[in-house]
Amino acid sequence: MAEVHVIGQIVGATGFSENSLFCKWGIHTGAAWKLLSGLREGQTQVDTPQIGDMAYWSHPIDLHFATKGLQGWPRLHLQVWSQDSFGRCQLAGYGFCHVPSSPGTHQLDCPTWRPLGSWREQLARAFVGGGPQLLHADAIYSGADRYRLHTAAGGTVHLELGLLLRHFDRYGVEC
């Protein structure tokens, strides 16, 4: 079987109006993909930017996949959360990006968004916290339902990913 190694990090995030940010991440693949080693999901630590608006996480990602085909190429889905001084967490943004398909080192910028909700939910978010969230996380990367939502732009998550491809030539795929 062909193999894909994804090695890198979630560097951090910029452009969010909230402070004390952390990121929950996961990887989604098609049925022909098997995770040989690494974690399919994870969470960074909370970082409060001291200078500028960049929250630094430097959270490692190390995944090793085997695949029988190219369908269902890996996608990273991200959820950025903010934490207030009382420890309450509030959604700051959802985002996703495809793992690059060419070997080498890649710098990725993943834009994020969050659901707006009704005017009452927006008012409650401003004064009490919380706010609307997706019921099904797969709406982050599936286009059908996502485009019907009313959303607000969030910040950008920055990633550095290195890709190694192995045995793709045996299956007729040129790298």
Side-chain angles (χ1 to χ4, degrees), residues 59-80:
H59 183 80
I61 294 177
D62 190 355
L63 304 164
H64 181 192
F65 290 102
T67 182
K68 296 176 184 174
L70 295 177
Q71 277 190 321
W73 193 267
R75 294 177 281 198
L76 275 169
H77 53 91
L78 308 165
Q79 296 180 24
V80 179

Side-chain angles (χ1 to χ4, degrees), residues 67-106:
T67 182
K68 296 176 184 174
L70 295 177
Q71 277 190 321
W73 193 267
R75 294 177 281 198
L76 275 169
H77 53 91
L78 308 165
Q79 296 180 24
V80 179
W81 294 77
S82 66
Q83 189 177 53
D84 67 12
S85 58
F86 300 108
R88 296 177 299 190
C89 297
Q90 173 172 292
L91 178 70
Y94 294 111
F96 87 95
C97 59
H98 290 275
V99 171
S101 57
S102 61
T105 305
H106 304 274

Side-chain angles (χ1 to χ4, degrees), residues 153-168:
T156 303
V157 177
H158 307 284
L159 301 108
E160 292 177 358
L161 297 178
L163 242 72
L164 300 169
L165 304 180
R166 185 173 175 210
H167 301 313
F168 273 80

